[in-house]
């Protein structure tokens, strides 16, 4: 019983302690650690064991090539960048829009970038396309022939990566925004047209000296999203 309690506490601490980090230290991550993280994450559940994920690990010169090309593409024609799937509806309804705006305001305040500061916001986007300075960038794709339900499986896989990274003392930031850069990624990584760019992820050691890496986000209480039936 004691062993089970210890395991429960460890898992709970990993889940509660995980945070999306937006600035990383210039500290290398060994390929062995990346392999260990992905070797654990691959045990995520998927519908009928279809395992819809494919991952590209970018380090060194490959990472620099991709980030440089992504920033150039953004600077030269950001309006031409389109995601592989919709992130949000055209009009985000309540209460989701309220949560979205609250978070964006908190992040902007932490970064010292007001929502009206267009130049600052562009710099923030470019920072995202540099994997926030993390030494490892991950790009995730999925076969286009699959249906939307496979995104549920993919979410489990991404969460496994983030928790396995936490267990190794590493930090992450999942990034849907990389779906905007499918043209750059296909050219640089040889991603076939039949693969949809789902997301990216920054992986490394967080620089926790910056305010944006120390935000405390409000989470809903159980009574706000749970209905207990016949209990």
């Amino acid at each position: 019983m004691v062993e089970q309690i210890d395991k429960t506490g460890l898992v709970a601490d990993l889940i509660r302690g995980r945070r999306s980090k937006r600035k990383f230290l210039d500290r290398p991550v060994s390929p062995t650690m990346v392999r260990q993280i992905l070797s654990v994450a691959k045990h995520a559940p998927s519908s009928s064991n279809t395992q819809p994920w494919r991952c590209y690990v970018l380090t060194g010169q490959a990472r620099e090539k991709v980030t440089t090309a992504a920033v150039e593409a953004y600077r030269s024609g950001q309006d031409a960048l389109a995601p592989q799937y919709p992130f949000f509806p055209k009009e985000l309804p309540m209460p989701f829009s309220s949560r979205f705006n609250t978070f964006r305001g908190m992040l902007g305040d932490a970064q010292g970038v007001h929502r009206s500061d267009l130049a600052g916001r562009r710099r923030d986007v470019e920072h995202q396309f540099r994997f926030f300075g993390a030494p490892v960038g991950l790009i995730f794709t999925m076969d286009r022939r699959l249906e939307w339900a496979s995104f549920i499986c993919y979410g489990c896989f991404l969460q496994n990566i983030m928790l396995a990274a936490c267990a190794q003392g590493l930090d992450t930031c999942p990034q849907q925004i990389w779906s905007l850069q499918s043209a750059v990624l296909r050219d640089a990584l040889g991603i076939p047209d039949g693969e949809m760019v789902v997301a990216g992820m920054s992986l490394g050691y967080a620089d926790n000296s910056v305010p944006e890496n120390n935000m405390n986000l409000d989470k809903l209480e159980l009574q706000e999203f749970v209905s207990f039936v016949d209990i």
Side-chain angles (χ1 to χ4, degrees):
M1 179 63 69
V2 173
E3 182 181 0
Q4 183 61 45
I5 292 174
D6 288 343
K7 289 181 180 179
T8 301
L10 175 61
V11 172
D13 287 345
L14 285 173
I15 293 173
R16 293 193 188 104
R18 187 213 63 79
R19 295 288 188 275
S20 294
K21 302 294 185 175
R22 293 174 173 83
K23 186 176 182 182
F24 290 80
L25 299 172
D26 183 16
R27 178 180 172 187
V29 175
S30 74
T32 298
M33 294 181 73
V34 178
R35 290 179 181 275
Q36 289 174 343
I37 290 167
L38 295 174
S39 293
V40 171
K42 72 179 184 180
H43 293 281
S46 62
S47 182
S48 298
N49 200 36
T50 47
Q51 304 174 74
W53 38 80
R54 175 144 176 75
C55 178
Y56 298 80
V57 181
L58 310 182
T59 58
Q61 292 183 357
R63 177 196 169 283
E64 291 303 312
K65 177 182 177 181
V66 166
T67 55
T68 299
V71 170
E72 289 178 353
Y74 175 71
R75 288 179 177 177
S76 63
Q78 57 182 292
D79 293 336
L81 301 180
Q84 302 279 277
Y85 58 93
F87 293 171
F88 297 107
K90 291 183 178 180
E91 291 189 14
L92 192 61
M94 288 288 289
F96 313 106
S97 58
S98 176
R99 296 170 192 162
F100 176 94
N101 290 326
T102 296
F103 169 75
R104 296 306 305 180
M106 289 178 61
L107 180 59
D109 289 343
Q111 295 174 325
V113 179
H114 192 271
R115 290 301 295 271
S116 62
D117 182 359
L118 297 181
R121 290 170 63 184
R122 284 194 291 268
R123 287 194 300 270
D124 172 62
V125 173
E126 291 184 9
H127 193 40
Q128 295 186 58
F129 287 138
R130 293 189 175 97
F131 290 110
F132 297 108
V136 180
L138 307 176
I139 297 296
F140 303 99
T141 67
M142 184 173 73
D143 194 307
R144 290 184 183 277
R145 294 172 296 180
L146 296 174
E147 293 290 354
W148 296 110
S150 291
F151 274 86
I152 298 173
C153 312
Y154 226 118
C156 296
F157 176 62
L158 296 180
Q159 178 78 341
N160 270 8
I161 292 175
M162 291 184 281
L163 295 180
C166 280
Q168 293 269 18
L170 292 163
D171 297 287
T172 56
C173 185
Q175 299 174 260
Q176 282 181 310
I177 198 170
W178 276 103
S179 185
L180 294 172
Q181 293 283 2
S182 61
V184 165
L185 295 171
R186 290 186 200 287
D187 180 61
L189 305 178
I191 298 175
D193 290 338
E195 289 183 23
M196 171 194 299
V197 178
V198 175
M201 185 181 293
S202 302
L203 173 66
Y205 296 94
D207 179 356
N208 288 318
S209 68
V210 297
E212 57 263 41
N213 281 353
N214 293 285
M215 296 192 303
N216 290 315
L217 304 180
D218 290 332
K219 300 298 182 181
L220 299 177
E221 298 297 334
L222 287 188
Q223 65 268 22
E224 297 180 271
F225 69 96
V226 176
S227 297
F228 291 96
V229 182
D230 286 338
I231 294 179

